[in-house]
Amino acid sequence: PGPGAATATLLKSGSTITYTPAGPPIDDTSGMLSLAVRVLGAHVALYVGILGLAAKVFSQDQAKHALWFLDGSLFALGLGLSSMTSPVKVAQFLDFSGGRWDPSLMFVMGGALLLNVPVMQGLVMNGTLKKPMWGKVFAYPPAGAIDSKLIQGGVLFGVGWGMGGACPGPALVNLVHGHPLVMAWNAAMMCGIFLGSRLW
């Protein structure tokens, strides 16, 4: 977040970025919580259903791809409900220049860490959970993974994040709005991925 915050603060992105896609359908906290619980409950029910039918109806590959789709849809819905898909919201989180700093996205990231850290440290890293549900081993970053390419890429990512208030996941979710600006952003991202794979 450092390069992103520095870029957004220097460019005053919190004030200059104006594109805001359609936000969450409910504004009040209790309504949002109720919707989140229903969405999560529906996904859990679908998970259980797919796992229960995996041996009888689906092949292992079909079940695996269905669960991956559910993972992706839950992630996309979470981004939308938490307003992570709003470039204005993200820019105001990163921009410390004009007194419009919005710290609310820290709670989104903190909530993710509250779930991730205990599972990773308590089940995966200590070997309690031996392997993923649909894989042979857990994939860990190799030794020496923090190299100059990773640092350069992180800086470039942060600069782009601070300039546009968007990163790949939320930008892909925003494609459902069909806005030309979102289309252009995603096209530029794809070009960047292609150039990075060729030049680095």
Side-chain angles (χ1 to χ4, degrees):
T7 302
T9 300
L10 287 171
L11 298 179
K12 296 180 169 41
S13 298
S15 303
T16 56
I17 293 175
T18 58
Y19 170 67
T20 303
I26 300 173
D27 292 328
D28 63 282
T29 305
S30 60
M32 188 68 72
L33 181 60
S34 174
L35 178 60
V37 168
R38 282 181 281 151
V39 167
L40 185 58
H43 275 75
V44 169
L46 287 169
Y47 255 89
V48 173
I50 290 170
L51 290 173
L53 295 172
K56 300 174 183 177
V57 178
F58 302 122
S59 69
Q60 188 175 29
D61 275 347
Q62 289 172 329
K64 178 170 62 176
H65 285 90
L67 292 176
W68 285 349
F69 177 81
L70 280 178
D71 289 340
S73 66
L74 184 61
F75 179 64
L77 287 167
L79 289 174
L81 289 174
S82 64
S83 297
M84 287 285 288
T85 53
S86 169
V88 171
K89 185 93 168 171
V90 172
Q92 289 176 353
F93 170 65
L94 294 172
D95 181 2
F96 294 89
S97 66
R100 299 183 65 186
W101 181 58
D102 181 352
S104 58
L105 291 186
M106 285 196 300
F107 295 99
V108 178
M109 299 174 190
L113 288 172
L114 282 175
L115 290 172
N116 181 271
V117 171
V119 171
M120 285 299 296
Q121 297 297 325
L123 295 176
V124 177
M125 299 301 288
N126 69 1
T128 302
L129 192 61
K130 302 297 182 185
K131 66 184 187 67
M133 185 182 296
W134 299 107
K136 295 181 179 179
V137 294
F138 285 104
Y140 298 107
I146 300 178
D147 56 14
S148 60
K149 289 183 180 180
L150 180 65
I151 294 170
Q152 292 166 26
V155 170
L156 285 173
F157 171 86
V159 170
W161 194 30
M163 289 175 65
C167 59
L172 289 171
V173 174
N174 278 337
L175 282 173
V176 300
H177 300 292
H179 194 284
L181 189 60
V182 176
M183 301 288 189
W185 196 100
N186 278 279
M189 177 180 70
M190 295 302 172
C191 289
I193 290 171
F194 174 77
L195 289 173
S197 66
R198 292 302 179 93
L199 299 176
W200 266 315

